[in-house]
Amino acid sequence: MVLLAAISLSSYILTANPKGEIAVSSIQVFPGNARRYSNKDQDFAFVHFNATADLSPLFNWNTKQLFLWVSAEYENKRGVKNEVVIWDRIVRRKEDARLSILGRNKYAFRELSASFKGAAPAHYTLKYNVMPYVGVLTYGEAARTTDSVPFPDRQELS
Amino acid sequence: MFADELKTLRRLGVRHVLLQILNFVSVLASGLMIWKGLGLITNTESPIVVVLSGSMEPAFYRGDLLFLTNPSDARYQTGDITVYKIPGADIPIVHRVLETHDYPPNNKGAVAASPLVQRQLLLTKGDNNAIDDIELYQGLEWLERKHIVGKVRGFLPYVGYVTIAMNDFPQLKYALLGGLGLLALIQRE
């Protein structure tokens, strides 16, 4: 009991704040069909990004795994603030925590109003969640795009 | 078999038995008070939950214990692990937030009393599931704040397996309760 408490408290002392970089290499918007309403016309954004970060300092004796994700943050035409996860990864070993990712979105990137037209440029961030063997879950941001990335016009599928 | 115990019971008299019952009941009552008190502090209906499925593996396994808070002034963000309960479904689900959509406050002369008032749409997904949870929402398009029981803040492995075992083998539950009750009655100060 005491040992468990000591271990969980130690994660307050053993903290790290690693930083990395993320950049969006390309972004395209295509029309498609939503999963639920198959006849609803819906924009999908396709994002390619590069991310590098050394998150190995986050691994201490009480780190079970890291949950990493890339999310897009933007405001749409009607002022709704959106945060959408486009990619994620679970890292379970310290050796895998040195990241160099050439990635593209894993999950469908859609807009609430079905169209990205008029949406403000988006920031893309790489965030992490440290999940312990016992104790508190901690969160952090490892990287953020330096400039916001505008959404391109929709391309029609030929 | 219980001759000895019965003898001691008879010797101790009705008054003592009643006292022991009172003791037992007060233990139960303080347990309930602690639970409800925790619920008040953390602002959630169940501050401690047991993981029942494998949809968040390898982070959470069946039987792990999760500690929740649900601060009324905090909005949810992507990556937060929420526990939510869809109306009509009796089992709460522990999944991670995949999308958040915050509606702006409607500036019609009214000031929002708390961020809770502002509408926030959420979409969740289990770490171990391939796709998001829309199918689990039973017809809802998005999760809203009112469906959320709390946000996972702390983690304790395995301990909750006791409750799963008790649900799977009800005899165990009765045996445990009976044993505790008997102990409370018989033990001498």
Side-chain angles (χ1 to χ4, degrees):
Chain A
M1 224 31 184
V2 177
L3 184 66
L4 284 180
I7 291 172
S8 55
L9 285 178
S10 75
S11 40
Y12 283 106
I13 305 160
L14 302 168
T15 54
N17 187 16
K19 289 288 173 209
E21 282 169 10
I22 183 168
V24 171
S25 49
S26 87
I27 170 165
Q28 290 173 299
V29 176
F30 289 108
N33 289 329
R35 188 159 116 228
R36 175 169 280 181
Y37 306 107
S38 53
N39 52 2
K40 185 180 165 192
D41 191 26
Q42 165 100 52
D43 276 2
F44 289 88
F46 293 86
V47 182
H48 287 252
F49 62 89
N50 310 326
T52 51
D54 182 5
L55 300 178
S56 48
L58 291 172
F59 274 86
N60 58 44
W61 65 338
N62 192 20
T63 306
K64 184 185 198 175
Q65 65 167 36
L66 296 181
F67 185 86
L68 312 173
W69 71 98
V70 171
S71 68
E73 296 170 5
Y74 69 99
E75 198 169 307
N76 75 3
K77 188 164 62 180
R78 289 170 56 205
V80 179
K81 286 198 177 67
N82 305 282
E83 226 182 293
V84 180
V85 175
I86 58 171
W87 177 90
D88 63 14
R89 174 182 282 179
I90 293 169
V91 177
R92 307 182 70 183
R93 297 187 307 165
K94 190 170 186 171
E95 299 88 84
D96 298 333
R98 285 181 193 86
L99 299 173
S100 177
I101 303 157
L102 280 172
R104 62 187 184 87
N105 51 328
K106 234 168 108 175
Y107 305 118
F109 185 7
R110 305 161 300 163
E111 221 292 307
L112 261 186
S113 62
S115 169
F116 283 105
K117 204 168 177 186
H123 269 290
Y124 293 82
T125 56
L126 174 66
K127 294 180 184 171
Y128 58 82
N129 171 209
V130 184
M131 312 191 73
Y133 285 110
V134 58
V136 289
L137 282 73
T138 49
Y139 292 85
E141 184 178 297
R144 173 176 281 268
T145 47
T146 41
D147 300 311
S148 53
V149 184
F151 290 101
D153 289 338
R154 182 166 98 166
Q155 297 178 34
E156 292 305 324
L157 296 169
S158 50
Chain B
M1 190 179 154
F2 288 114
D4 271 357
E5 280 82 356
L6 277 177
K7 213 181 280 169
T8 47
L9 266 187
R10 203 162 300 138
R11 194 165 49 79
L12 291 169
V14 182
R15 190 180 274 267
H16 188 80
V17 172
L18 286 178
L19 196 68
Q20 291 290 30
I21 291 176
L22 194 68
N23 260 336
F24 190 59
V25 170
S26 82
V27 166
L28 282 185
S30 48
L32 194 69
M33 274 161 69
I34 290 171
W35 174 255
K36 286 292 172 192
L38 264 179
L40 264 181
I41 294 167
T42 56
N43 190 33
T44 141
E45 55 180 282
S46 61
I48 301 173
V49 296
V50 177
V51 179
L52 294 174
S53 83
S55 61
M56 284 296 281
E57 284 174 23
F60 304 146
Y61 290 88
R62 242 171 92 84
D64 292 346
L65 220 58
L66 306 175
F67 299 88
L68 311 183
T69 64
N70 185 26
S72 54
D73 57 341
R75 57 178 286 270
Y76 284 86
Q77 287 166 316
T78 57
D80 286 349
I81 303 168
T82 59
V83 177
Y84 64 87
K85 211 164 162 184
I86 300 293
D90 40 345
I91 298 175
I93 300 173
V94 185
H95 279 176
R96 198 184 290 272
V97 175
L98 193 70
E99 292 185 18
T100 65
H101 305 282
D102 287 273
Y103 278 82
N106 48 348
N107 291 323
K108 288 187 186 118
V111 178
S114 82
L116 242 182
V117 180
Q118 282 157 38
R119 200 151 163 248
Q120 184 177 37
L121 302 180
L122 302 172
L123 181 68
T124 55
K125 175 183 165 294
D127 285 4
N128 201 21
N129 294 350
I131 50 167
D132 58 50
D133 287 352
I134 288 189
E135 268 77 11
L136 295 176
Y137 294 168
Q138 306 200 350
L140 293 175
E141 194 88 348
W142 302 95
L143 275 189
E144 288 189 49
R145 187 62 192 246
K146 60 183 177 225
H147 304 127
I148 307 258
V149 176
K151 169 172 157 180
V152 178
R153 304 306 293 267
F155 172 77
L156 190 63
Y158 309 126
V159 180
Y161 216 90
V162 182
T163 62
I164 293 184
M166 283 202 284
N167 266 328
D168 290 356
F169 310 101
Q171 298 94 327
L172 191 70
K173 183 162 55 186
Y174 300 128
L176 204 71
L177 270 178
L180 277 179
L182 212 64
L183 264 181
L185 277 180
I186 286 169
Q187 70 171 343
R188 272 169 283 183
E189 316 282 86

